[in-house]
Amino acid sequence: MGITQGLNSVLERWLPEQRLFLKSDCSTRFVRLSPSTQLVALSGTAFVFGWAIIASSILAIDAISAHGSRDQARRSQDAFEERLADLSTERDNRATEALAAQNRYSVALDQVSQMQSQLLESEARRRELETGIGAVQARLQTEIKDRADDTRSASAGTPDAQAADLQVAFDILSDELKKSADDRADAVKVAADARRTADAATLERDQVIARNDEILTQIEDAVTISVKPFDDMFRSVGMNPDKVLSTIREGYSGEGGPLNPVSYSSSGNAQIGQGEAKAQEIMITLDKVNSYRIAAEKMPLAMPVKAAFRYTSPFGRRWGRGHEGIDMAAPIGTSVFATGDGTITYAGWQRGYGNLIKIQHELGTETRYGHLSKIKVKVGQKVSRGSLIGAMGNTGRSTGPHLHYEVRVNGNAVNPMTFIKAAQNVF
């Protein structure tokens, strides 16, 4: 008691005693507010005010950080797609270079074949000329011998004339033989050049194929890595990825256009065939990624509230009963947005929910937005992701202004945070 009086006497200078009068028709009473009581009240008020400021700051920082993380993820996704496009372009360029090298290789082989044929013809011609020269030389020697023995003949000039004719024929055959030898040497040189060209074309083709295989491997790794987050996302929300892909492909299966015959080279090799097989596998995986992206665009993955808010109740059991959504508290009138493309199937009052909006999305998903103060859509209206559909309120069974947000898959309620976190991991 003495301590309290001492404290009051010390605080009397700054917090003088106050009296709160309560007046009625018959009597007047008052309540004394001692300095220590006033100090306790002021301290409690300051604590509550400080706690509110700190909590609001934390929520604002979390919202800014989440927005920054989404922007960073979006930039990373754009950079990945740009790199993937560059790799695809480089792969196409390398494939064109490989085809050109293959064509040059085929031309070089044709040249080698032609040079070999010319070389064989030159060799055969040389042999024929050598045989003819041998026959002429034998005949010439016989004629010279006959002329020496036939000195008594009156027509001695005739063998001389025959010898002259044979000499002329011999000279002609010698010239042809020399020309054939020169042609053969030229053919050998051209064939050697053609072989070197073919070897260079083969080396260039092998280098292009190796580089093309490296690029295809990089693209294959990139697209394989990009598929896993989508698989994890759909599995985490309780959806079968195979069924999702099948549904998307059924809705996006159109094809057409004129078809022209395609010619294939018979001089290709197994390495080019392997590269084409790997490219085909990459195209299949890219189609899977594209189908996943189409499916993700149809899922309710956005946030229903873009302003500052506070999570006040999670998904699961609450007060002994199942809570089939999450609660986001903010002032009355805070804008509420659609989290995905869909069609309004309900817009009105429903017991427990108060003012309620239901949106039916594709792939068997549905979202619900409860306790609204205003409904800005009507049944049958189609909305897009991010469309304004209502305003936060305190209608229905509610203890304060907040949004009750539900996500259902094939009629079963699932945790909306799974969709929100999945979107942050993919986009």
Side-chain angles (χ1 to χ4, degrees), residues 29-310:
R29 294 179 296 174
F30 66 90
V31 177
R32 294 178 58 209
L33 299 177
S34 63
S36 59
T37 302
Q38 296 179 51
L39 177 62
V40 171
L42 289 175
S43 298
T45 302
F47 174 77
V48 172
F49 182 72
W51 176 83
I53 291 176
I54 293 172
S56 300
S57 300
I58 292 174
L59 288 175
I61 292 172
D62 290 342
I64 293 173
S65 299
H67 183 70
S69 299
R70 288 194 295 271
D71 290 342
Q72 181 66 28
R74 175 66 66 180
R75 287 194 295 270
S76 299
Q77 181 70 18
D78 293 341
F80 168 76
E81 291 179 352
E82 182 178 356
R83 175 58 178 162
L84 191 61
D86 293 340
L87 289 174
S88 298
T89 302
E90 186 175 358
R91 180 202 57 146
D92 295 338
N93 294 335
R94 296 300 179 184
T96 303
E97 293 177 4
L99 182 59
Q102 182 68 25
N103 292 334
R104 289 195 295 272
Y105 177 74
S106 300
V107 171
L109 287 180
D110 293 339
Q111 291 178 352
V112 170
S113 178
Q114 292 176 3
M115 291 302 103
Q116 288 178 343
S117 298
Q118 294 178 4
L119 187 61
L120 291 175
E121 291 176 359
S122 299
E123 185 68 20
R125 185 179 178 186
R126 184 185 64 81
R127 291 176 181 175
E128 291 176 358
L129 290 174
E130 288 178 350
T131 303
I133 289 173
V136 171
Q137 287 176 343
R139 183 178 178 185
L140 181 60
Q141 291 175 358
T142 302
E143 291 295 334
I144 292 173
K145 184 178 179 181
D146 290 342
R147 188 186 66 173
D149 293 340
D150 194 11
T151 56
R152 297 177 181 180
S153 177
S155 57
T158 302
D160 292 338
Q162 293 178 351
D165 293 339
L166 290 174
Q167 184 64 40
V168 172
F170 178 76
D171 293 338
I172 294 174
L173 289 174
S174 297
D175 292 338
E176 290 294 331
L177 181 61
K178 182 179 179 182
K179 183 179 179 181
S180 177
D182 293 339
D183 292 342
R184 180 176 178 276
D186 293 339
V188 170
K189 182 179 179 181
V190 172
D193 293 339
R195 286 194 184 95
R196 285 194 294 270
T197 302
D199 293 339
T202 301
L203 178 61
E204 181 182 2
R205 183 199 60 183
D206 294 341
Q207 291 175 347
V208 170
I209 290 175
R211 177 57 180 162
N212 193 35
D213 185 70
E214 181 182 353
I215 294 173
L216 290 176
T217 301
Q218 292 177 0
I219 297 176
E220 186 178 25
D221 293 341
V223 297
T224 300
I225 292 174
S226 64
V227 167
K228 188 176 185 304
F230 286 105
D231 281 333
D232 295 340
M233 180 189 74
F234 286 105
R235 294 185 190 281
S236 65
V237 298
M239 303 180 71
N240 187 331
D242 295 333
K243 290 185 178 180
V244 171
L245 291 175
S246 176
T247 302
I248 293 299
R249 287 164 180 164
E250 288 178 0
Y252 294 80
S253 59
E255 59 182 25
L259 299 176
N260 296 320
V262 179
S263 60
Y264 296 93
S265 172
S266 60
S267 58
N269 54 37
Q271 290 178 326
I272 295 179
Q274 291 174 359
E276 293 177 352
K278 183 176 290 187
Q280 184 66 25
E281 291 295 329
I282 291 174
M283 294 303 298
I284 293 174
T285 309
L286 283 175
D287 176 70
K288 188 175 182 180
V289 173
N290 187 50
S291 299
Y292 270 146
R293 291 184 63 83
I294 294 174
E297 291 295 330
K298 299 179 179 299
M299 299 288 289
L301 300 176
M303 289 290 292
V305 179
K306 299 180 180 179
F309 67 91
R310 184 168 65 92

Side-chain angles (χ1 to χ4, degrees), residues 305 307-310 312 328-334 392-393 400-403:
V305 179
F309 67 91
R310 184 168 65 92
T312 54
M328 305 176 179
I332 292 179
T334 300
M392 192 177 297
H402 73 283
L403 170 69

